[in-house]
Amino acid sequence: MSDHIIDNQEIDLIMEKLESLEDEKLAVLLLKEFNDATGNYGKLLMNKDLSLTHEEWKKNCDQAQSKVDRIVKKIMNL
């Protein structure tokens, strides 16, 4: 799933995985982690902060994408 924005089909798969977990507390924690990571990544992609150089912006986006990838992999491996 690396290097792209998550599409609706992938979100559906993630939600199905979380809904099927018996441990509801874990499911809620993972959903929050997923929402936080994707929200942060989305904000960075739409960033209008002109004080950031392109390199800084790109580095921040890469780190945010990596975090999204990690949580998606964690969920999908359950």
Side-chain angles (χ1 to χ4, degrees):
M1 288 192 179
S2 181
D3 295 331
H4 73 279
I5 296 176
I6 297 173
D7 65 27
N8 287 339
Q9 186 177 8
E10 291 168 315
I11 290 174
D12 288 344
L13 287 172
I14 291 165
M15 296 309 293
E16 284 176 26
K17 271 289 213 187
L18 292 175
E19 289 172 1
S20 70
L21 283 180
E22 289 186 25
D23 186 341
E24 290 181 14
K25 288 182 182 181
L26 177 61
V28 169
L29 289 173
L30 290 170
L31 178 60
K32 181 179 181 340
E33 191 175 342
F34 174 76
N35 285 337
D36 290 348
T38 55
N40 183 51
Y41 183 50
K43 286 177 190 173
L44 283 168
L45 287 177
M46 303 305 291
N47 189 4
K48 305 288 188 206
D49 185 351
L50 299 177
S51 70
L52 288 176
T53 65
H54 178 74
E55 291 77 23
E56 291 169 325
W57 173 82
K58 175 82 170 100
K59 179 182 174 190
N60 290 347
C61 285
D62 289 346
Q63 289 172 341
Q65 176 67 52
S66 179
K67 188 170 187 173
V68 170
D69 290 343
R70 281 193 308 274
I71 184 62
V72 167
K73 184 175 180 178
K74 185 178 190 179
I75 292 167
M76 297 310 287
N77 286 333
L78 291 173

